[in-house]
Amino acid sequence: QVRPVESGGGSVQAGGSLRLSCAASGGTFGNYAMGWFRQAPGKEREIVAAINWSGDSSYYGDSVKGRFTISRDNSKNTVYLQMNNLSPEDTAVYYCAGSTRKIHWTVTDSLYDVWGRGTQVTVSS
């Protein structure tokens, strides 16, 4: 089964930018809807952004609207999350996930059935 592999996390100062990548290992993302989630210490996992199979429709959580951009390159089997104007509140482990059951994006995390191991993003003030 395909497994998402995240990269691009790291430490950055407030106001900075990072671009996360999610590559397919052991297969392709095909027509999966894809999403980025994050979980901060002591908090529940939340959806950050999601994108449909073709890349022409996306969703953003309220806390990241206008700052983050999700995109995908199906020819490279890779999904991206461009994060701009980062704040300490964005500090979390970021996970990439795919839904083998959905081609359109969904905010329901139980519908995502392939998950990466996560990449740490730390934003200092």
Side-chain angles (χ1 to χ4, degrees):
Q1 189 179 30
V2 63
R3 182 172 67 86
V5 179
E6 304 95 338
S7 62
S11 298
V12 66
Q13 289 192 326
S17 298
L18 284 173
R19 188 174 83 153
L20 305 183
S21 297
C22 172
S25 175
T28 71
F29 291 143
N31 57 356
Y32 299 178
M34 299 296 297
W36 284 98
F37 295 76
R38 67 185 181 187
Q39 187 165 22
K43 294 187 177 181
E44 291 191 357
R45 185 173 63 196
E46 64 171 342
I47 187 165
V48 175
I51 192 166
N52 73 339
W53 72 277
S54 62
D56 62 1
S57 178
S58 57
Y59 163 87
Y60 296 94
D62 287 342
S63 62
V64 306
K65 279 180 182 176
R67 300 188 298 123
F68 290 12
T69 302
I70 188 171
S71 61
R72 66 191 295 164
D73 185 340
N74 288 339
S75 68
K76 296 181 179 179
N77 281 302
T78 304
V79 180
Y80 304 97
L81 185 68
Q82 177 67 44
M83 305 186 296
N84 297 329
N85 193 21
L86 285 161
S87 72
E89 288 70 35
D90 296 314
T91 295
V93 177
Y94 284 70
Y95 299 91
C96 177
S99 174
T100 64
R101 292 172 281 178
K102 300 283 288 185
I103 60 172
H104 189 65
W105 57 259
T106 176
V107 301
T108 305
D109 60 1
S110 61
L111 292 178
Y112 290 88
D113 44 8
V114 291
W115 290 81
R117 294 176 179 172
T119 186
Q120 176 70 46
V121 171
T122 302
V123 185
S124 58
S125 58

